[in-house]
PDB file of all heavy atoms in Angstrom:
ATOM      1  N   LYS A 187      16.949  69.783 -42.735  1.00 67.00           N
ATOM      2  CA  LYS A 187      16.021  70.907 -42.521  1.00 67.00           C
ATOM      3  C   LYS A 187      14.749  70.533 -41.771  1.00 67.00           C
ATOM      4  O   LYS A 187      14.038  71.397 -41.306  1.00 67.00           O
ATOM      5  CB  LYS A 187      15.632  71.518 -43.867  1.00 67.00           C
ATOM      6  CG  LYS A 187      16.798  72.149 -44.581  1.00 67.00           C
ATOM      7  CD  LYS A 187      16.339  72.800 -45.848  1.00 67.00           C
ATOM      8  CE  LYS A 187      17.551  73.418 -46.555  1.00 67.00           C
ATOM      9  NZ  LYS A 187      17.187  74.071 -47.783  1.00 67.00           N
ATOM     10  N   PHE A 188      14.432  69.245 -41.701  1.00 73.00           N
ATOM     11  CA  PHE A 188      13.148  68.849 -41.144  1.00 73.00           C
ATOM     12  C   PHE A 188      13.318  67.765 -40.087  1.00 73.00           C
ATOM     13  O   PHE A 188      14.258  66.985 -40.115  1.00 73.00           O
ATOM     14  CB  PHE A 188      12.221  68.322 -42.251  1.00 73.00           C
ATOM     15  CG  PHE A 188      11.921  69.329 -43.304  1.00 73.00           C
ATOM     16  CD1 PHE A 188      12.591  69.293 -44.512  1.00 73.00           C
ATOM     17  CD2 PHE A 188      10.983  70.316 -43.087  1.00 73.00           C
ATOM     18  CE1 PHE A 188      12.323  70.227 -45.496  1.00 73.00           C
ATOM     19  CE2 PHE A 188      10.702  71.262 -44.063  1.00 73.00           C
ATOM     20  CZ  PHE A 188      11.374  71.213 -45.276  1.00 73.00           C
ATOM     21  N   GLY A 189      12.367  67.714 -39.198  1.00 75.00           N
ATOM     22  CA  GLY A 189      12.290  66.636 -38.223  1.00 75.00           C
ATOM     23  C   GLY A 189      10.865  66.137 -38.173  1.00 75.00           C
ATOM     24  O   GLY A 189       9.916  66.883 -38.438  1.00 75.00           O
ATOM     25  N   GLU A 190      10.702  64.894 -37.890  1.00 84.00           N
ATOM     26  CA  GLU A 190       9.365  64.306 -37.830  1.00 84.00           C
ATOM     27  C   GLU A 190       9.340  63.303 -36.690  1.00 84.00           C
ATOM     28  O   GLU A 190      10.306  62.578 -36.475  1.00 84.00           O
ATOM     29  CB  GLU A 190       9.073  63.602 -39.155  1.00 84.00           C
ATOM     30  CG  GLU A 190       7.677  63.051 -39.254  1.00 84.00           C
ATOM     31  CD  GLU A 190       7.420  62.421 -40.629  1.00 84.00           C
ATOM     32  OE1 GLU A 190       8.216  62.584 -41.544  1.00 84.00           O
ATOM     33  OE2 GLU A 190       6.391  61.749 -40.726  1.00 84.00           O
ATOM     34  N   ALA A 191       8.241  63.265 -35.950  1.00 87.00           N
ATOM     35  CA  ALA A 191       8.117  62.333 -34.835  1.00 87.00           C
ATOM     36  C   ALA A 191       6.724  61.732 -34.803  1.00 87.00           C
ATOM     37  O   ALA A 191       5.742  62.384 -35.174  1.00 87.00           O
ATOM     38  CB  ALA A 191       8.410  63.034 -33.514  1.00 87.00           C
ATOM     39  N   HIS A 192       6.667  60.487 -34.380  1.00 89.00           N
ATOM     40  CA  HIS A 192       5.394  59.770 -34.223  1.00 89.00           C
ATOM     41  C   HIS A 192       5.426  59.034 -32.896  1.00 89.00           C
ATOM     42  O   HIS A 192       6.455  58.485 -32.506  1.00 89.00           O
ATOM     43  CB  HIS A 192       5.195  58.737 -35.339  1.00 89.00           C
ATOM     44  CG  HIS A 192       5.192  59.316 -36.705  1.00 89.00           C
ATOM     45  ND1 HIS A 192       4.094  59.908 -37.256  1.00 89.00           N
ATOM     46  CD2 HIS A 192       6.162  59.387 -37.650  1.00 89.00           C
ATOM     47  CE1 HIS A 192       4.372  60.319 -38.474  1.00 89.00           C
ATOM     48  NE2 HIS A 192       5.640  60.027 -38.733  1.00 89.00           N
ATOM     49  N   ILE A 193       4.287  59.015 -32.226  1.00 93.00           N
ATOM     50  CA  ILE A 193       4.140  58.219 -31.015  1.00 93.00           C
ATOM     51  C   ILE A 193       2.972  57.269 -31.241  1.00 93.00           C
ATOM     52  O   ILE A 193       1.880  57.699 -31.630  1.00 93.00           O
ATOM     53  CB  ILE A 193       3.875  59.100 -29.780  1.00 93.00           C
ATOM     54  CG1 ILE A 193       5.077  60.003 -29.523  1.00 93.00           C
ATOM     55  CG2 ILE A 193       3.590  58.227 -28.562  1.00 93.00           C
ATOM     56  CD1 ILE A 193       4.895  60.969 -28.382  1.00 93.00           C
ATOM     57  N   ASN A 194       3.224  55.992 -31.029  1.00 93.00           N
ATOM     58  CA  ASN A 194       2.192  54.973 -31.205  1.00 93.00           C
ATOM     59  C   ASN A 194       2.068  54.128 -29.954  1.00 93.00           C
ATOM     60  O   ASN A 194       3.063  53.865 -29.271  1.00 93.00           O
ATOM     61  CB  ASN A 194       2.533  54.050 -32.385  1.00 93.00           C
ATOM     62  CG  ASN A 194       2.448  54.772 -33.700  1.00 93.00           C
ATOM     63  OD1 ASN A 194       1.419  55.329 -34.042  1.00 93.00           O
ATOM     64  ND2 ASN A 194       3.552  54.784 -34.436  1.00 93.00           N
TER      65      ASN A 194
END
Side-chain angles (χ1 to χ4, degrees):
K187 295 183 181 180
F188 299 101
E190 185 177 349
H192 301 279
I193 296 177
N194 292 303

